[in-house]
Amino acid sequence: MFRAILVLALSQIVLGHSGKQYSTFYDKEDSRDFYKRIGAIVRNSSAPWKAGVYSKPPSYFHSGSIDLPPEAEDLPIVAVYGDLQLPQAFDARTRWPLCQSIRDIRNQGCCGSCYAVSAASAMTDRYCIHSHRHETFVFASFEMISCCQSCGYGCNGGFMGASWQYWVAHGISSGGPIDSHQCCHPYPVDVCSRTGGKTVPTPACSTKCQPYYNVTDDVYDRRYGSVAYRIHDWEYHIMAEIYENGPVQVDFDIYEDFFAYKGGVYRHVTGKKENGHAVKLIGWGVANVNGYAVKYWLAANSWGPEWGERGFFRIVRGENHCGIEKGVYAGLPDYHKHKRMTVE
């Protein structure tokens, strides 16, 4: 009986997300007018952030994270680090300066693939952080989008936890920007300017590396995770996980005003909810806003470096604002499994 109820609930979740990437507000209003309207409302609200006008319409900024109830996931929940003395501010970019990937901002383009893009980005960071010599391996989001059936619905959205489980069970090949020749599977979707903002069809799965790469079959290129888990949704545990092990993946509800974010500490002010969006948390801090201390998370988005604070943004911390602390995912790399798998 419970299983039947769970299946029905999951079906409703999927129907509520897939096929509804965005509302039609940008079809009814010129994008420049939209940004100006949001900006005026934010300024008058005394919010701790500023909105601005982008050359790209909001329809170019895609999301795609679908929430699952905890009972639908087979992931352990980690809640440790009870005695760590954490700093008031922390930035993974300065804690691990040799891991360039923490500074990189990916662009998911016209694909609802944030669940895969932010997961691959965090995996890449952690692979570097936990290696003895800060080894680099850029994980591709291609496989989670195109080949992993349990991860979701390709460019129509997917699941964060399943993406981390796929890393452990099947491994993930190397990736890079679209048209990159230095990897097995470059990102398969172009920026939105070539599609008019419409979600592209999910690219077909392939187990062959691109012909320019020095490996033919991706089985010889895969790297694996050793464990995938979910972090307890208390602020301290999330901070401790980032401090000890590196960036984590989270999702939150985005509203219309988030598209216009230019800087500061985001707090939802106006507009209706659009969708769930997965991003990477890399740190935290406290901002002084008009004499008040505002705690924030520091996050990397996947909308390119032209958006926000050079691709990054800050959002209110410690109150599960927009649900950003309710689903936090991570894992640890395995540096030997790929050798065993290729021998077998």
Side-chain angles (χ1 to χ4, degrees), residues 124-171:
T124 299
D125 297 343
R126 287 178 165 231
Y127 193 88
C128 176
I129 288 168
H130 291 277
S131 64
H132 294 301
R133 298 181 180 179
H134 296 296
E135 300 173 39
T136 59
F137 186 88
V138 179
F139 286 94
S141 47
F142 167 80
E143 286 195 50
M144 290 175 278
I145 299 169
S146 299
C147 304
C148 175
Q149 295 183 355
S150 63
C151 292
Y153 306 93
C155 282
N156 291 309
F159 315 116
M160 297 188 297
S163 298
W164 288 90
Q165 289 174 310
Y166 184 85
W167 182 43
V168 173
H170 303 284

Side-chain angles (χ1 to χ4, degrees), residues 156-216:
N156 291 309
F159 315 116
M160 297 188 297
S163 298
W164 288 90
Q165 289 174 310
Y166 184 85
W167 182 43
V168 173
H170 303 284
I172 296 174
S173 59
S174 61
I178 189 169
D179 297 330
S180 169
H181 294 168
Q182 306 303 314
C183 59
C184 177
H185 288 131
Y187 190 67
V189 179
D190 208 343
V191 295
C192 280
S193 58
R194 299 186 185 179
T195 69
K198 295 180 180 179
T199 302
V200 300
T202 300
C205 177
S206 173
T207 59
K208 299 293 184 181
C209 295
Q210 63 170 320
Y212 306 100
Y213 192 50
N214 59 7
V215 176
T216 302

